[in-house]
Amino acid sequence: MKKIEIVKANEVEIEPFILSDFIQHKAAHSMMKKVTKKELKHLADNIGLVYDDAQIVFTKKLLSAYLLGK
């Protein structure tokens, strides 16, 4: 059996329901930074990938669109 506590109406505290208090904000927006071609080239060199400028431009556009959520 569950224990029940009976209270009077004037003992109950009532607060307004604010929906934003229960919504978790995405941290990605605060941590988002612009992707540069220089960073992509450096990353590709570090992991040993062969690339050309067209691939770097495409990758930059793709990552930027992904990070912005478009």
Side-chain angles (χ1 to χ4, degrees), residues 21-67:
D21 290 345
F22 299 94
I23 297 175
Q24 187 177 29
H25 298 288
K26 292 183 179 179
H29 293 297
S30 62
M31 297 172 47
M32 217 180 325
K33 73 174 206 171
K34 190 173 181 177
V35 178
T36 64
K37 288 191 236 178
K38 184 178 180 180
E39 289 175 340
L40 288 173
K41 288 179 182 180
H42 183 67
L43 178 63
D45 289 336
N46 282 346
I47 59 176
L49 295 177
V50 179
Y51 60 88
D52 62 4
D53 284 335
Q55 291 170 327
I56 294 294
V57 170
F58 175 75
T59 304
K60 181 179 184 282
K61 289 179 182 179
L62 187 66
L63 283 173
S64 295
Y66 178 76
L67 291 174

